[in-house]
Amino acid sequence: MADINVDVLVIGAGPTGLGAAKRLNHINGPSWMIVDSNEKAGGLASTDVTPEGFLYDVGGHVIFSHYKYFDDCIEEALPKEDDWFDHERVSYVRYKGLWVPYPFQNNISMLPKEDQVKCIDGLIDSALECRVANTKPKNFDEWIMRMTGAGVADIFMRPYNYKVWAVPTTKMQAEWLGERVAAPDVKTVVKNVILGKVAGNWGPNNTFRFPARDGTGGIWIAVSNTLPEDKKRYGKQGEVTKVDADKKVVTFSDGTTIGYGSLINTMAVDQLAEKMGNMSWFSSPRGSTTPRPMSLVSVSAASAPSASVTSAGFTSLRTTAPSIAPPSSPTTRPTTSRRRTPSSLPYTRLMAARLTPAKRRRARTGRSCWRCPSRQ
Ligand SMILES: Cc1cc2nc3c(=O)[nH]c(=O)nc-3n(C[C@H](O)[C@H](O)[C@H](O)COP(=O)(O)OP(=O)(O)OC[C@H]3O[C@@H](n4cnc5c(N)ncnc54)[C@H](O)[C@@H]3O)c2cc1C
């Protein structure tokens, strides 16, 4: 018999867990509780504060969405006009000592002549191919080739996206792209090359709101503050040490146990497997029929999730689309020319930590597998 019993237990108070808790709170049906091993909410989207009061966003810094439900949640948490600053995005790609405005593929007028030729060549080929193509691109790489051609693909899109996501573009699907990745218009690009012009500020996040206080993490702390105190356990008392999926009981660092009807897990899935004492899921050989816990994964941040309960009593969250931007802006103002580029560096490091030694080496050396498709 557990110390506490709830219908739904949410592990993790990052954006995804908070999204689930908000929804459970709104529907006011099943009993629920949200737990996190950190003292404050936010997960990877939180902000570290130094003793001097300097703020460092751990991850997320650009938030935008087209979902009213998501916008309402954020608005409810930080409702005042002066809770927010409005910023214009200023992003550049460092290439051959030049600062090329984002999106790179719309601004090849900034490139050296020989690269302009390569890019236009590919753009024309891709435009011609697009006319006769009657199937959708099967993956991100096909989308890139179809929209930008080989020049832009090799110079920028493939290496950049591999750096950001640590996954070859051939292994990524293309459904998420919509308004996140610009598809260049060949006529405009050529016109800009001839006239030496730069394209306008593209994209849904060309302006964005940023909290006036407490960094990005302030958003999630404020969202968490809208939830009832008695349904939150943060810090040591919220640190999951064991998940018994058969008995449907979770044990915490302080020895407390919580019994659940359904479990929504948002901590990394390998950590979940470890807490369940079942790391074998991660070492099952290729081709093995041993089930892998992918149905338990929830990956993306706080858009209104649709939840489905699996037979094991777990709930897997599937978001209809990511609601906040990935760290994909090849950002950084051209203030210091010797600085290593963008914010994607720590992200790449983080991703590298999840990779096998061989893949990590590849990520580090920048030697990419798209040149060698058979090895991907
Ligand atoms: C460098 C970087 C830059 C990024 N930039 C952006 C950006 O600009 N815009 C954007 O939209 N997104 C950005 N992201 C992505 C964004 O931060 C994540 O998508 C988001 O944080 C995922 O939320 P989550 O709730 O799914 O997971 P997480 O944020 O990882 O939350 C998981 C939670 O589980 C908790 N947990 C783990 N183990 C336990 C345990 N044993 N017991 C209890 N709780 C546990 C953790 O403490 C954590 O709070 C960036 C990420 C990084 C790393």
Side-chain angles (χ1 to χ4, degrees):
M1 184 70 187
D3 301 320
I4 302 168
N5 286 288
V6 287
D7 294 325
V8 185
L9 180 64
V10 182
I11 299 179
T16 311
L18 287 172
K22 284 295 290 185
R23 188 73 186 130
L24 286 161
N25 202 35
H26 282 161
I27 58 178
N28 198 18
S31 62
W32 60 274
M33 185 164 280
I34 182 167
V35 300
D36 200 297
S37 51
N38 274 338
E39 292 290 345
K40 57 180 189 180
L44 282 174
S46 58
T47 299
D48 290 337
V49 187
T50 68
E52 299 79 17
F54 291 107
L55 304 174
Y56 289 90
D57 285 348
V58 175
H61 46 278
V62 178
I63 290 192
F64 67 95
S65 102
H66 300 303
Y67 296 95
K68 189 170 169 357
Y69 185 85
F70 177 87
D71 293 339
D72 288 348
C73 274
I74 303 294
E75 203 59 43
E76 179 197 355
L78 292 172
K80 297 200 297 291
E81 189 76 4
D82 71 354
D83 283 336
W84 299 94
F85 290 131
D86 284 306
H87 289 300
E88 193 181 329
R89 187 195 60 218
V90 182
S91 305
Y92 291 85
V93 178
R94 188 77 166 144
Y95 179 72
K96 290 190 176 172
L98 298 163
W99 292 104
V100 182
Y102 169 86
F104 185 95
Q105 58 273 32
N106 283 3
N107 285 299
I108 62 175
S109 57
M110 300 295 292
L111 304 183
K113 286 284 171 222
E114 68 274 14
D115 288 332
Q116 286 181 353
V117 171
K118 255 188 237 161
C119 291
I120 291 177
D121 207 48
L123 274 165
I124 293 170
D125 281 347
S126 69
L128 292 173
E129 206 178 309
C130 254
R131 286 199 155 186
V132 290
N134 54 10
T135 54
K136 278 180 159 184
K138 280 200 294 292
N139 56 42
F140 188 24
D141 200 77
E142 281 193 20
W143 186 93
I144 291 171
M145 285 299 285
R146 210 132 344 135
M147 296 298 155
T148 75
V152 173
D154 287 339
I155 289 176
F156 177 67
M157 292 297 274
R158 284 165 169 164
Y160 171 70
N161 279 288
Y162 186 59
K163 181 177 176 179
V164 169
W165 303 108
V167 174
T169 46
T170 47
K171 298 252 169 161
M172 293 175 70
Q173 45 113 311
E175 302 298 323
W176 57 282
L177 298 166
E179 20 170 58
R180 316 291 289 274
V181 184
D185 168 50
V186 65
K187 283 187 184 172
T188 312
V189 169
V190 171
K191 221 182 289 169
N192 285 347
V193 167
I194 292 169
L195 300 174
K197 270 175 57 179
V198 170
N201 207 358
W202 180 88
N205 60 352
N206 57 9
T207 60
F208 61 96
R209 291 199 309 170
F210 193 82
R213 286 166 289 275
D214 304 327
T216 297
I219 300 173
W220 304 109
I221 290 172
V223 169
S224 171
N225 287 344
T226 64
L227 296 169
E229 283 304 319
D230 61 336
K231 297 197 171 176
K232 296 182 280 194
R233 284 171 74 93
Y234 294 165
K236 272 276 167 246
Q237 59 162 1
E239 185 179 34
V240 174
T241 54
K242 190 176 163 202
V243 176
D244 186 330
D246 296 324
K247 294 196 178 120
K248 297 191 171 188
V249 172
V250 170
T251 308
F252 295 83
S253 273
D254 65 355
T256 311
T257 52
I258 298 185
Y260 60 83
S262 298
L263 183 68
I264 298 180
N265 171 65
T266 74
M267 72 177 154
V269 77
D270 52 344
Q271 286 176 26
L272 172 67
E274 188 213 313
K275 306 296 178 215
M276 293 173 72
N278 203 344
M279 288 310 282
S280 60
W281 278 341
F282 291 88
S283 50
S284 50
R286 228 169 236 268
S288 150
T289 51
T290 312
R292 290 181 151 231
M294 293 318 287
S295 63
L296 311 181
V297 188
S298 63
V299 270
S300 187
S303 61
S306 60
S308 61
V309 181
T310 67
S311 56
F314 289 99
T315 299
S316 74
L317 294 183
R318 300 238 175 267
T319 50
T320 41
S323 58
I324 54 178
S328 59
S329 303
T331 169
T332 262
R333 291 189 88 132
T335 44
T336 47
S337 57
R338 292 218 152 257
R339 271 215 185 143
R340 285 207 285 172
T341 13
S343 56
S344 53
L345 278 178
Y347 186 76
T348 311
R349 248 178 249 137
L350 180 106
M351 295 302 285
R354 297 187 190 153
L355 302 175
T356 60
K359 283 186 179 163
R360 216 176 292 147
R361 195 166 48 247
R362 236 175 10 237
R364 214 178 39 240
T365 57
R367 211 164 304 132
S368 45
C369 23
W370 55 82
R371 295 194 188 287
C372 174
S374 59
R375 285 176 50 205
Q376 284 169 34

PDB file of all heavy atoms in Angstrom, residues 65-89:
ATOM      1  N   SER A  65       4.440  30.350 -30.357  1.00  0.00           N
ATOM      2  CA  SER A  65       3.520  29.250 -30.655  1.00  0.00           C
ATOM      3  C   SER A  65       2.347  29.797 -31.456  1.00  0.00           C
ATOM      4  O   SER A  65       2.122  31.006 -31.507  1.00  0.00           O
ATOM      5  CB  SER A  65       2.995  28.628 -29.364  1.00  0.00           C
ATOM      6  OG  SER A  65       1.689  29.065 -29.080  1.00  0.00           O
ATOM      7  N   HIS A  66       1.609  28.869 -32.069  1.00  0.00           N
ATOM      8  CA  HIS A  66       0.377  29.273 -32.755  1.00  0.00           C
ATOM      9  C   HIS A  66      -0.802  28.559 -32.140  1.00  0.00           C
ATOM     10  O   HIS A  66      -1.834  28.394 -32.760  1.00  0.00           O
ATOM     11  CB  HIS A  66       0.462  28.942 -34.240  1.00  0.00           C
ATOM     12  CG  HIS A  66       1.607  29.636 -34.908  1.00  0.00           C
ATOM     13  ND1 HIS A  66       1.735  30.995 -34.887  1.00  0.00           N
ATOM     14  CD2 HIS A  66       2.669  29.159 -35.569  1.00  0.00           C
ATOM     15  CE1 HIS A  66       2.831  31.326 -35.521  1.00  0.00           C
ATOM     16  NE2 HIS A  66       3.421  30.224 -35.935  1.00  0.00           N
ATOM     17  N   TYR A  67      -0.585  28.091 -30.892  1.00  0.00           N
ATOM     18  CA  TYR A  67      -1.644  27.362 -30.224  1.00  0.00           C
ATOM     19  C   TYR A  67      -2.250  28.243 -29.140  1.00  0.00           C
ATOM     20  O   TYR A  67      -1.555  28.643 -28.207  1.00  0.00           O
ATOM     21  CB  TYR A  67      -1.102  26.078 -29.603  1.00  0.00           C
ATOM     22  CG  TYR A  67      -0.598  25.117 -30.635  1.00  0.00           C
ATOM     23  CD1 TYR A  67       0.747  25.083 -30.970  1.00  0.00           C
ATOM     24  CD2 TYR A  67      -1.481  24.276 -31.317  1.00  0.00           C
ATOM     25  CE1 TYR A  67       1.224  24.225 -31.941  1.00  0.00           C
ATOM     26  CE2 TYR A  67      -1.017  23.420 -32.292  1.00  0.00           C
ATOM     27  CZ  TYR A  67       0.335  23.395 -32.599  1.00  0.00           C
ATOM     28  OH  TYR A  67       0.789  22.555 -33.569  1.00  0.00           O
ATOM     29  N   LYS A  68      -3.528  28.520 -29.259  1.00  0.00           N
ATOM     30  CA  LYS A  68      -4.183  29.407 -28.302  1.00  0.00           C
ATOM     31  C   LYS A  68      -4.071  28.846 -26.887  1.00  0.00           C
ATOM     32  O   LYS A  68      -3.833  29.583 -25.927  1.00  0.00           O
ATOM     33  CB  LYS A  68      -5.657  29.594 -28.707  1.00  0.00           C
ATOM     34  CG  LYS A  68      -6.338  30.669 -27.884  1.00  0.00           C
ATOM     35  CD  LYS A  68      -7.693  31.029 -28.409  1.00  0.00           C
ATOM     36  CE  LYS A  68      -8.505  31.888 -27.489  1.00  0.00           C
ATOM     37  NZ  LYS A  68      -7.999  32.245 -26.215  1.00  0.00           N
ATOM     38  N   TYR A  69      -4.214  27.530 -26.786  1.00  0.00           N
ATOM     39  CA  TYR A  69      -4.159  26.906 -25.460  1.00  0.00           C
ATOM     40  C   TYR A  69      -2.813  27.194 -24.795  1.00  0.00           C
ATOM     41  O   TYR A  69      -2.739  27.555 -23.615  1.00  0.00           O
ATOM     42  CB  TYR A  69      -4.390  25.396 -25.607  1.00  0.00           C
ATOM     43  CG  TYR A  69      -4.463  24.664 -24.297  1.00  0.00           C
ATOM     44  CD1 TYR A  69      -5.661  24.598 -23.599  1.00  0.00           C
ATOM     45  CD2 TYR A  69      -3.346  24.053 -23.751  1.00  0.00           C
ATOM     46  CE1 TYR A  69      -5.732  23.935 -22.387  1.00  0.00           C
ATOM     47  CE2 TYR A  69      -3.411  23.388 -22.536  1.00  0.00           C
ATOM     48  CZ  TYR A  69      -4.607  23.333 -21.862  1.00  0.00           C
ATOM     49  OH  TYR A  69      -4.681  22.685 -20.663  1.00  0.00           O
ATOM     50  N   PHE A  70      -1.757  27.033 -25.569  1.00  0.00           N
ATOM     51  CA  PHE A  70      -0.405  27.293 -25.049  1.00  0.00           C
ATOM     52  C   PHE A  70      -0.257  28.773 -24.710  1.00  0.00           C
ATOM     53  O   PHE A  70       0.201  29.139 -23.617  1.00  0.00           O
ATOM     54  CB  PHE A  70       0.630  26.874 -26.102  1.00  0.00           C
ATOM     55  CG  PHE A  70       2.059  27.155 -25.705  1.00  0.00           C
ATOM     56  CD1 PHE A  70       2.785  26.237 -24.964  1.00  0.00           C
ATOM     57  CD2 PHE A  70       2.675  28.342 -26.076  1.00  0.00           C
ATOM     58  CE1 PHE A  70       4.099  26.493 -24.584  1.00  0.00           C
ATOM     59  CE2 PHE A  70       3.987  28.610 -25.707  1.00  0.00           C
ATOM     60  CZ  PHE A  70       4.696  27.682 -24.965  1.00  0.00           C
ATOM     61  N   ASP A  71      -0.664  29.636 -25.643  1.00  0.00           N
ATOM     62  CA  ASP A  71      -0.537  31.088 -25.415  1.00  0.00           C
ATOM     63  C   ASP A  71      -1.313  31.510 -24.166  1.00  0.00           C
ATOM     64  O   ASP A  71      -0.828  32.320 -23.375  1.00  0.00           O
ATOM     65  CB  ASP A  71      -1.060  31.875 -26.631  1.00  0.00           C
ATOM     66  CG  ASP A  71      -0.178  31.663 -27.851  1.00  0.00           C
ATOM     67  OD1 ASP A  71       0.991  31.264 -27.670  1.00  0.00           O
ATOM     68  OD2 ASP A  71      -0.652  31.887 -28.983  1.00  0.00           O
ATOM     69  N   ASP A  72      -2.510  30.937 -23.989  1.00  0.00           N
ATOM     70  CA  ASP A  72      -3.329  31.297 -22.822  1.00  0.00           C
ATOM     71  C   ASP A  72      -2.638  30.905 -21.514  1.00  0.00           C
ATOM     72  O   ASP A  72      -2.697  31.634 -20.528  1.00  0.00           O
ATOM     73  CB  ASP A  72      -4.713  30.629 -22.895  1.00  0.00           C
ATOM     74  CG  ASP A  72      -5.584  31.269 -23.975  1.00  0.00           C
ATOM     75  OD1 ASP A  72      -5.204  32.348 -24.476  1.00  0.00           O
ATOM     76  OD2 ASP A  72      -6.626  30.686 -24.323  1.00  0.00           O
ATOM     77  N   CYS A  73      -1.987  29.726 -21.533  1.00  0.00           N
ATOM     78  CA  CYS A  73      -1.263  29.261 -20.333  1.00  0.00           C
ATOM     79  C   CYS A  73      -0.170  30.256 -19.950  1.00  0.00           C
ATOM     80  O   CYS A  73       0.004  30.601 -18.787  1.00  0.00           O
ATOM     81  CB  CYS A  73      -0.586  27.924 -20.612  1.00  0.00           C
ATOM     82  SG  CYS A  73      -1.604  26.518 -20.345  1.00  0.00           S
ATOM     83  N   ILE A  74       0.574  30.692 -20.956  1.00  0.00           N
ATOM     84  CA  ILE A  74       1.703  31.603 -20.708  1.00  0.00           C
ATOM     85  C   ILE A  74       1.167  32.965 -20.269  1.00  0.00           C
ATOM     86  O   ILE A  74       1.705  33.589 -19.356  1.00  0.00           O
ATOM     87  CB  ILE A  74       2.554  31.757 -22.000  1.00  0.00           C
ATOM     88  CG1 ILE A  74       3.038  30.386 -22.485  1.00  0.00           C
ATOM     89  CG2 ILE A  74       3.712  32.718 -21.808  1.00  0.00           C
ATOM     90  CD1 ILE A  74       4.006  29.690 -21.585  1.00  0.00           C
ATOM     91  N   GLU A  75       0.092  33.380 -20.928  1.00  0.00           N
ATOM     92  CA  GLU A  75      -0.525  34.676 -20.614  1.00  0.00           C
ATOM     93  C   GLU A  75      -1.069  34.696 -19.178  1.00  0.00           C
ATOM     94  O   GLU A  75      -0.915  35.674 -18.451  1.00  0.00           O
ATOM     95  CB  GLU A  75      -1.680  34.918 -21.605  1.00  0.00           C
ATOM     96  CG  GLU A  75      -2.070  36.360 -21.811  1.00  0.00           C
ATOM     97  CD  GLU A  75      -0.929  37.224 -22.322  1.00  0.00           C
ATOM     98  OE1 GLU A  75      -0.191  36.768 -23.215  1.00  0.00           O
ATOM     99  OE2 GLU A  75      -0.783  38.350 -21.794  1.00  0.00           O
ATOM    100  N   GLU A  76      -1.670  33.572 -18.798  1.00  0.00           N
ATOM    101  CA  GLU A  76      -2.204  33.469 -17.434  1.00  0.00           C
ATOM    102  C   GLU A  76      -1.063  33.567 -16.410  1.00  0.00           C
ATOM    103  O   GLU A  76      -1.214  34.180 -15.351  1.00  0.00           O
ATOM    104  CB  GLU A  76      -2.926  32.123 -17.296  1.00  0.00           C
ATOM    105  CG  GLU A  76      -3.514  31.870 -15.918  1.00  0.00           C
ATOM    106  CD  GLU A  76      -3.850  30.388 -15.704  1.00  0.00           C
ATOM    107  OE1 GLU A  76      -3.722  29.567 -16.636  1.00  0.00           O
ATOM    108  OE2 GLU A  76      -4.239  30.047 -14.564  1.00  0.00           O
ATOM    109  N   ALA A  77       0.093  32.966 -16.760  1.00  0.00           N
ATOM    110  CA  ALA A  77       1.218  32.949 -15.814  1.00  0.00           C
ATOM    111  C   ALA A  77       1.867  34.333 -15.694  1.00  0.00           C
ATOM    112  O   ALA A  77       2.248  34.751 -14.603  1.00  0.00           O
ATOM    113  CB  ALA A  77       2.243  31.913 -16.255  1.00  0.00           C
ATOM    114  N   LEU A  78       2.030  35.010 -16.811  1.00  0.00           N
ATOM    115  CA  LEU A  78       2.674  36.333 -16.808  1.00  0.00           C
ATOM    116  C   LEU A  78       1.751  37.309 -17.545  1.00  0.00           C
ATOM    117  O   LEU A  78       1.939  37.606 -18.725  1.00  0.00           O
ATOM    118  CB  LEU A  78       4.045  36.256 -17.515  1.00  0.00           C
ATOM    119  CG  LEU A  78       5.123  35.433 -16.793  1.00  0.00           C
ATOM    120  CD1 LEU A  78       6.362  35.266 -17.654  1.00  0.00           C
ATOM    121  CD2 LEU A  78       5.508  36.067 -15.454  1.00  0.00           C
ATOM    122  N   PRO A  79       0.739  37.824 -16.836  1.00  0.00           N
ATOM    123  CA  PRO A  79      -0.332  38.549 -17.525  1.00  0.00           C
ATOM    124  C   PRO A  79      -0.067  40.031 -17.773  1.00  0.00           C
ATOM    125  O   PRO A  79      -0.752  40.642 -18.585  1.00  0.00           O
ATOM    126  CB  PRO A  79      -1.522  38.396 -16.561  1.00  0.00           C
ATOM    127  CG  PRO A  79      -0.915  38.181 -15.213  1.00  0.00           C
ATOM    128  CD  PRO A  79       0.436  37.605 -15.416  1.00  0.00           C
ATOM    129  N   LYS A  80       0.939  40.601 -17.085  1.00  0.00           N
ATOM    130  CA  LYS A  80       1.066  42.058 -17.151  1.00  0.00           C
ATOM    131  C   LYS A  80       1.878  42.492 -18.374  1.00  0.00           C
ATOM    132  O   LYS A  80       2.797  41.787 -18.807  1.00  0.00           O
ATOM    133  CB  LYS A  80       1.746  42.581 -15.882  1.00  0.00           C
ATOM    134  CG  LYS A  80       0.917  42.303 -14.605  1.00  0.00           C
ATOM    135  CD  LYS A  80       1.320  43.202 -13.466  1.00  0.00           C
ATOM    136  CE  LYS A  80       2.739  43.030 -13.003  1.00  0.00           C
ATOM    137  NZ  LYS A  80       3.041  41.776 -12.331  1.00  0.00           N
ATOM    138  N   GLU A  81       1.533  43.675 -18.875  1.00  0.00           N
ATOM    139  CA  GLU A  81       2.238  44.231 -20.029  1.00  0.00           C
ATOM    140  C   GLU A  81       3.748  44.277 -19.782  1.00  0.00           C
ATOM    141  O   GLU A  81       4.557  43.898 -20.620  1.00  0.00           O
ATOM    142  CB  GLU A  81       1.696  45.658 -20.271  1.00  0.00           C
ATOM    143  CG  GLU A  81       2.156  46.317 -21.547  1.00  0.00           C
ATOM    144  CD  GLU A  81       1.421  45.768 -22.774  1.00  0.00           C
ATOM    145  OE1 GLU A  81       0.502  44.932 -22.665  1.00  0.00           O
ATOM    146  OE2 GLU A  81       1.814  46.203 -23.843  1.00  0.00           O
ATOM    147  N   ASP A  82       4.128  44.703 -18.558  1.00  0.00           N
ATOM    148  CA  ASP A  82       5.561  44.866 -18.292  1.00  0.00           C
ATOM    149  C   ASP A  82       6.235  43.559 -17.840  1.00  0.00           C
ATOM    150  O   ASP A  82       7.367  43.561 -17.390  1.00  0.00           O
ATOM    151  CB  ASP A  82       5.808  45.997 -17.285  1.00  0.00           C
ATOM    152  CG  ASP A  82       5.358  45.623 -15.879  1.00  0.00           C
ATOM    153  OD1 ASP A  82       4.759  44.535 -15.715  1.00  0.00           O
ATOM    154  OD2 ASP A  82       5.611  46.404 -14.948  1.00  0.00           O
ATOM    155  N   ASP A  83       5.543  42.431 -17.984  1.00  0.00           N
ATOM    156  CA  ASP A  83       6.185  41.130 -17.740  1.00  0.00           C
ATOM    157  C   ASP A  83       7.082  40.742 -18.916  1.00  0.00           C
ATOM    158  O   ASP A  83       7.859  39.792 -18.818  1.00  0.00           O
ATOM    159  CB  ASP A  83       5.128  40.026 -17.560  1.00  0.00           C
ATOM    160  CG  ASP A  83       4.474  40.070 -16.187  1.00  0.00           C
ATOM    161  OD1 ASP A  83       5.117  40.597 -15.256  1.00  0.00           O
ATOM    162  OD2 ASP A  83       3.325  39.607 -16.053  1.00  0.00           O
ATOM    163  N   TRP A  84       6.918  41.433 -20.044  1.00  0.00           N
ATOM    164  CA  TRP A  84       7.575  40.989 -21.273  1.00  0.00           C
ATOM    165  C   TRP A  84       8.326  42.111 -21.988  1.00  0.00           C
ATOM    166  O   TRP A  84       7.928  43.268 -21.931  1.00  0.00           O
ATOM    167  CB  TRP A  84       6.527  40.447 -22.266  1.00  0.00           C
ATOM    168  CG  TRP A  84       5.762  39.279 -21.752  1.00  0.00           C
ATOM    169  CD1 TRP A  84       4.555  39.301 -21.115  1.00  0.00           C
ATOM    170  CD2 TRP A  84       6.158  37.904 -21.809  1.00  0.00           C
ATOM    171  NE1 TRP A  84       4.162  38.028 -20.780  1.00  0.00           N
ATOM    172  CE2 TRP A  84       5.128  37.146 -21.197  1.00  0.00           C
ATOM    173  CE3 TRP A  84       7.269  37.228 -22.332  1.00  0.00           C
ATOM    174  CZ2 TRP A  84       5.184  35.762 -21.081  1.00  0.00           C
ATOM    175  CZ3 TRP A  84       7.316  35.852 -22.211  1.00  0.00           C
ATOM    176  CH2 TRP A  84       6.289  35.127 -21.600  1.00  0.00           C
ATOM    177  N   PHE A  85       9.390  41.732 -22.688  1.00  0.00           N
ATOM    178  CA  PHE A  85      10.031  42.605 -23.675  1.00  0.00           C
ATOM    179  C   PHE A  85       9.722  42.028 -25.060  1.00  0.00           C
ATOM    180  O   PHE A  85       9.635  40.810 -25.211  1.00  0.00           O
ATOM    181  CB  PHE A  85      11.550  42.624 -23.527  1.00  0.00           C
ATOM    182  CG  PHE A  85      12.047  43.316 -22.291  1.00  0.00           C
ATOM    183  CD1 PHE A  85      12.994  42.714 -21.471  1.00  0.00           C
ATOM    184  CD2 PHE A  85      11.574  44.583 -21.951  1.00  0.00           C
ATOM    185  CE1 PHE A  85      13.456  43.350 -20.332  1.00  0.00           C
ATOM    186  CE2 PHE A  85      12.041  45.228 -20.813  1.00  0.00           C
ATOM    187  CZ  PHE A  85      12.982  44.609 -20.005  1.00  0.00           C
ATOM    188  N   ASP A  86       9.585  42.910 -26.034  1.00  0.00           N
ATOM    189  CA  ASP A  86       9.485  42.433 -27.424  1.00  0.00           C
ATOM    190  C   ASP A  86      10.835  42.627 -28.094  1.00  0.00           C
ATOM    191  O   ASP A  86      11.396  43.720 -28.048  1.00  0.00           O
ATOM    192  CB  ASP A  86       8.414  43.223 -28.183  1.00  0.00           C
ATOM    193  CG  ASP A  86       7.029  42.765 -27.786  1.00  0.00           C
ATOM    194  OD1 ASP A  86       6.787  41.549 -27.879  1.00  0.00           O
ATOM    195  OD2 ASP A  86       6.227  43.606 -27.357  1.00  0.00           O
ATOM    196  N   HIS A  87      11.349  41.557 -28.686  1.00  0.00           N
ATOM    197  CA  HIS A  87      12.654  41.631 -29.333  1.00  0.00           C
ATOM    198  C   HIS A  87      12.543  41.329 -30.822  1.00  0.00           C
ATOM    199  O   HIS A  87      11.717  40.499 -31.222  1.00  0.00           O
ATOM    200  CB  HIS A  87      13.619  40.594 -28.749  1.00  0.00           C
ATOM    201  CG  HIS A  87      14.065  40.907 -27.364  1.00  0.00           C
ATOM    202  ND1 HIS A  87      14.739  42.055 -27.040  1.00  0.00           N
ATOM    203  CD2 HIS A  87      13.936  40.203 -26.215  1.00  0.00           C
ATOM    204  CE1 HIS A  87      15.004  42.048 -25.750  1.00  0.00           C
ATOM    205  NE2 HIS A  87      14.522  40.949 -25.222  1.00  0.00           N
ATOM    206  N   GLU A  88      13.422  41.966 -31.590  1.00  0.00           N
ATOM    207  CA  GLU A  88      13.555  41.568 -32.992  1.00  0.00           C
ATOM    208  C   GLU A  88      14.712  40.576 -33.064  1.00  0.00           C
ATOM    209  O   GLU A  88      15.755  40.804 -32.443  1.00  0.00           O
ATOM    210  CB  GLU A  88      13.889  42.793 -33.851  1.00  0.00           C
ATOM    211  CG  GLU A  88      13.740  42.513 -35.323  1.00  0.00           C
ATOM    212  CD  GLU A  88      14.099  43.756 -36.152  1.00  0.00           C
ATOM    213  OE1 GLU A  88      13.873  44.868 -35.644  1.00  0.00           O
ATOM    214  OE2 GLU A  88      14.615  43.588 -37.253  1.00  0.00           O
ATOM    215  N   ARG A  89      14.505  39.474 -33.753  1.00  0.00           N
ATOM    216  CA  ARG A  89      15.585  38.488 -33.861  1.00  0.00           C
ATOM    217  C   ARG A  89      16.719  39.058 -34.708  1.00  0.00           C
ATOM    218  O   ARG A  89      16.466  39.643 -35.767  1.00  0.00           O
ATOM    219  CB  ARG A  89      15.027  37.213 -34.525  1.00  0.00           C
ATOM    220  CG  ARG A  89      16.013  36.058 -34.544  1.00  0.00           C
ATOM    221  CD  ARG A  89      15.577  34.971 -35.494  1.00  0.00           C
ATOM    222  NE  ARG A  89      15.477  35.472 -36.841  1.00  0.00           N
ATOM    223  CZ  ARG A  89      14.538  35.123 -37.707  1.00  0.00           C
ATOM    224  NH1 ARG A  89      13.600  34.287 -37.373  1.00  0.00           N
ATOM    225  NH2 ARG A  89      14.521  35.626 -38.925  1.00  0.00           N
TER     226      ARG A  89
END
